[in-house]
Amino acid sequence: TLHIARPEKGKTLADFQNIYNSIAEKMKSESAYDDGTGYGPVLVRLSWHSSATYDKNDNSGGSYGGTFRFKKEASDVLSKGLENATKFLDPIHSEYPWLSHGDLYTLGGVTALQELGGPKTPWRPGRVDTGPETVPAHGRLPIPEGNASYVRNYYDRFGFNDQEVVALLGAHILGKTHLKNSGYDGPWDDDTNIFSNEFFGNLLERKWTLEKNAASNMQYNAKGGIMMLPTDYALVQDPKYLKYVKKYADDQDAFFSDFRDIYVKLLERGISFDDSIEPLVFKTLKEQLK
Ligand code: CCH
C-alpha cells in the first residue's frame, strides 16, 4: 500500500499552530485529569498506538489513515484507556473539521510532548482518512511481558534498530500504568508529566524487585512506588540495549535529539512526503507569551 501525503489544501503554519494552541490550552484547563497528571501522557500514547500498527513488509497500518477513530481498531484490549485521549480530541476535530484524523492524533502527541518540556519536534501534515477496511487485525501492539529478544523482534517490524528502540522507550517517563486499563500498576517516576531522561536514570540507579501486582501480573517495583514493565526492564538486561541506556542517562541532549528523530520517524512510518511539504515547527504556549 502506498500512502501519499496530501496536506489539507490552503493551510499554512499559522493554521496548524492554531490547532496546537487549542490542544495545549485544553490540556492546561483540564490539568486535573488522572490525579493531576493531565492529558499530555495519554495523548503521546495515542499518537504511538495510532502509528503502532505499521508493518514494513507490506507498508500497511501506521498513522496515515487515522483508523484509530474506528471501534474495530480502538477496541484492542491493549489500547484500554485511550478512549480518554480520543474523547479529549473530539472537540478539537469539531473546531477544525478539515483536519484528517491521522494528522490530529499525531499533532496531539507532538503538542503534548513539547508542552511537557520535550524536544522541538518537526511535524508534517498530509495524512488522509481511510475506511474501516484498512484497519489491520488486532495483534500488532506490543505486550508488556516480553523480554529483550521479544522487543528487538517487535520493533524490527518498523525497521527500528537497537539505539532507536532504546531512545523511543524513553517515552515511558511520561504518565503511568493503570490496573483497570492494562493490569499494571503505577508510574515510572514521581514526575508523571515532565519529559526528561529520568527513565534511564531510574532504570540504572534504583533497586528493582520483580513482584506480582494486584492483577497477578509481574512488574518491577522500586521504593517510592515507581515501576517498570518487563519490556522496559529488558533494556538493562540486554548488553546491546544497556549501552544506550547508559548513554541517555548521562547525556540528556543526546536523548532529546535521538528521541525527536525516532518519534518523527514513528509518526511518519509508511507515508511518502513530497519534497515540497515543509516540516512545521511549533512554538510552545510559553514561547508565545514572550
Ligand atoms: Fe507504552 N505503555 N508501551 N509506549 N505508554 C503504557 C503507557 C504509556 C508498552 C506498554 C504500555 C511505548 C511502548 C510500549 C506511553 C508511550 C509509549 C501502558 C499502561 C502499558 C502497559 C497503560 C495503562 O494502564 O493506562 C509496551 C509493552 C511498549 C513496547 O515497547 C512507546 C514506543 C511509547 C511512545 C513513544 C505513554 C506516554 C504511556 C502513559 C499513558 C498514560 O495514560 O499515562
Side-chain angles (χ1 to χ4, degrees):
T1 5
L2 249 185
H3 297 315
I4 303 199
R6 271 182 263 120
E8 293 82 353
K9 282 213 172 64
K11 304 299 177 186
T12 64
L13 172 61
D15 294 296
F16 294 106
Q17 179 76 58
N18 284 339
I19 305 174
Y20 178 108
N21 291 354
S22 294
I23 296 169
E25 294 286 2
K26 189 166 152 71
M27 281 170 60
K28 261 172 82 174
S29 64
E30 297 175 24
S31 61
Y33 170 73
D34 204 7
D35 297 322
T37 289
Y39 278 94
V42 79
L43 288 174
V44 171
R45 188 171 194 230
L46 174 63
S47 72
W48 150 235
H49 278 215
S50 63
S51 308
T53 52
Y54 182 68
D55 190 337
K56 69 175 183 187
N57 297 300
D58 59 0
N59 209 45
S60 61
S63 70
Y64 183 80
T67 49
F68 200 93
R69 73 189 187 284
F70 295 121
K71 233 206 186 102
K72 198 176 158 196
E73 181 166 332
S75 64
D76 193 314
V77 288
L78 293 170
S79 285
K80 265 195 189 168
L82 287 178
E83 63 282 0
N84 295 310
T86 49
K87 276 182 201 148
F88 175 95
L89 290 175
D90 282 345
I92 303 287
H93 194 260
S94 309
E95 204 181 335
Y96 306 95
W98 48 267
L99 188 71
S100 71
H101 286 84
D103 280 353
L104 176 66
Y105 298 149
T106 54
L107 182 54
V110 166
T111 303
L113 178 68
Q114 291 196 173
E115 290 298 308
L116 300 184
K120 275 300 177 82
T121 302
W123 175 87
R124 289 189 284 186
R127 294 162 192 78
V128 178
D129 283 3
T130 58
E133 74 284 356
T134 62
V135 176
H138 291 181
R140 294 191 179 193
L141 298 172
I143 55 159
E145 291 80 33
N147 61 14
S149 64
Y150 170 83
V151 173
R152 184 167 287 118
N153 179 58
Y154 177 80
Y155 282 103
D156 181 54
R157 213 189 65 216
F158 299 78
F160 295 168
N161 65 30
D162 287 353
Q163 173 265 314
E164 292 173 317
V165 168
V166 175
L168 190 61
L169 277 174
H172 276 172
I173 190 59
L174 296 178
K176 44 186 127 159
T177 64
H178 307 79
L179 218 48
K180 65 174 177 2
N181 291 340
S182 57
Y184 289 88
D185 193 18
W188 286 273
D189 192 70
D190 310 328
D191 295 320
T192 55
N193 55 17
I194 301 173
F195 193 80
S196 75
N197 64 343
E198 271 307 294
F199 172 79
F200 304 106
N202 288 345
L203 266 177
L204 294 175
E205 286 152 26
R206 300 302 194 98
K207 193 174 174 293
W208 295 103
T209 316
L210 185 60
E211 290 173 333
K212 192 181 264 188
N213 67 29
S216 288
N217 290 314
M218 301 302 286
Q219 64 179 57
Y220 292 85
N221 296 321
K223 258 201 210 119
I226 65 169
M227 64 85 67
M228 291 283 167
L229 299 169
T231 44
D232 299 318
Y233 199 74
L235 302 183
V236 292
Q237 293 175 312
D238 180 281
K240 290 190 221 111
Y241 283 147
L242 179 60
K243 184 174 109 184
Y244 297 110
V245 171
K246 288 179 175 162
K247 175 182 169 156
Y248 294 139
D250 281 351
D251 188 344
Q252 169 136 238
D253 292 346
F255 169 58
F256 270 46
S257 142
D258 288 356
F259 181 83
R260 176 201 56 215
D261 291 351
I262 188 59
Y263 184 57
V264 168
K265 201 165 162 181
L266 172 73
L267 301 186
E268 297 191 343
R269 206 90 275 228
I271 307 173
S272 307
F273 290 89
D274 195 271
D275 285 347
S276 66
I277 305 170
E278 290 281 331
L280 306 178
V281 178
F282 301 109
K283 293 198 161 103
T284 62
L285 287 186
K286 244 192 193 152
E287 287 168 337
Q288 295 170 68
L289 287 175
K290 284 174 195 159

